[in-house]
Amino acid sequence: MAAKQPPPLMKKHSQTDLVSRLKTRKILGVGGEDDDGEVHRSKISQVLGNEIKFAVREPLGLRVWQLVSAVMFSGVAVMALAFPDQLFDAIFEEDSVSSKTPIRLYGGALLSIALIMWNALYTAEKAIIRWSLLAEACYFAVQFLVTTVSLAESSRIATGAVLLLVSRALFILISIYYYYQVGRRPKKV
C-alpha cells in the first residue's frame, strides 16, 4: 500500500489583500470608533480598555485643595473632640455650652469626613475624587445654613460666626469648581 501524499499546503493570500483585512477587522469590531470616539487597534485593547481613558486630567491646584481640606477637617475634628468649650467660644463668642456631647459628636463626624478626604488625596480615580468634593461641598452648605439660622435666632452677630460664614461660602465655591473641573471630558486633540 502506498501512502497517499497530502496535497501541498496552499498559502492563502487573503491576509495580504487589503479589502479582506478590512472585512476581518470589521467582523472583529476593531479599527472603527466606539461610542467614546476611541479607535481600538486590537480586540484585546477593546476588551481591556485603555489606561489613558481612566486617567484623570487634574485641574491646577486640586491636590493642594484636597490637602488643605484634609488638614482643616482633621484639625477642627481634633479641636471639637479635645476642646469643645474653646471651639464653641471661638465661633459664637459665648461663655460656655451646656453640654459638650453634641460638639464631640460633631468632632467625630468631622473626623469621619477627614478620613474620606485623606483617602481621596491619594487616589487617582475620578469618581472617588468627585464624590469627596461633593461631600465636602454638601457639608459646607449645611454648615453655612445651620450657622445662618442660629445667628438669626440669637439676633447676635459674632465676628467668628461671620468669618465662618464667609469662609464656608468660599469653600463651597472652590469645592464645586473642582467638582465640575474633574468631571469635564477632556478636549479631543
Side-chain angles (χ1 to χ4, degrees):
M1 256 204 249
K4 194 173 191 185
Q5 291 286 17
L9 294 175
M10 296 187 56
K11 187 174 180 185
K12 225 175 175 185
H13 292 287
S14 64
Q15 286 301 318
T16 58
D17 183 18
L18 181 61
V19 175
S20 181
R21 273 200 325 212
L22 290 176
K23 284 180 185 176
T24 305
R25 291 179 70 75
K26 187 164 184 100
I27 290 169
L28 287 173
V30 294
E33 286 189 10
D34 63 1
D35 295 337
D36 296 330
E38 291 193 27
V39 178
H40 296 283
R41 304 257 181 250
S42 70
K43 196 67 177 173
I44 293 173
S45 71
Q46 186 178 10
V47 171
L48 295 178
N50 280 338
E51 194 175 310
I52 298 167
K53 184 177 184 178
F54 299 110
V56 178
R57 183 169 175 157
E58 294 177 353
L60 189 64
L62 172 68
R63 295 301 180 171
V64 173
W65 174 246
Q66 286 180 309
L67 178 66
V68 167
S69 295
V71 168
M72 183 174 51
F73 275 95
S74 300
V76 175
V78 168
M79 186 182 240
L81 288 170
F83 312 109
D85 288 334
Q86 287 82 356
L87 180 66
F88 187 82
D89 183 43
I91 295 172
F92 294 105
E93 296 175 0
E94 292 182 12
D95 289 340
S96 181
V97 65
S98 59
S99 176
K100 296 178 183 180
T101 305
I103 297 175
R104 286 200 169 118
L105 287 173
Y106 168 71
L110 277 184
L111 199 58
S112 301
I113 295 173
L115 187 64
I116 293 170
M117 296 300 146
W118 282 111
N119 285 326
L121 179 63
Y122 295 109
T123 188
E125 248 184 88
K126 187 177 182 178
I128 293 174
I129 294 171
R130 290 193 78 207
W131 273 106
S132 67
L133 289 167
L134 185 62
E136 187 176 355
C138 289
Y139 164 77
F140 288 138
V142 168
Q143 189 178 33
F144 182 85
L145 291 173
V146 168
T147 307
T148 303
V149 167
S150 65
L151 284 177
E153 286 175 349
S154 71
S155 69
R156 274 185 51 181
I157 298 180
T159 310
V162 172
L163 184 62
L164 180 74
L165 287 175
V166 171
S167 67
R168 292 313 177 230
L170 179 66
F171 295 161
I172 290 169
L173 292 174
I174 293 171
S175 296
I176 294 294
Y177 168 76
Y178 282 124
Y179 175 79
Y180 282 113
Q181 288 298 315
V182 170
R184 277 188 345 165
R185 287 183 174 253
K187 294 179 183 176
K188 301 267 181 181
V189 180

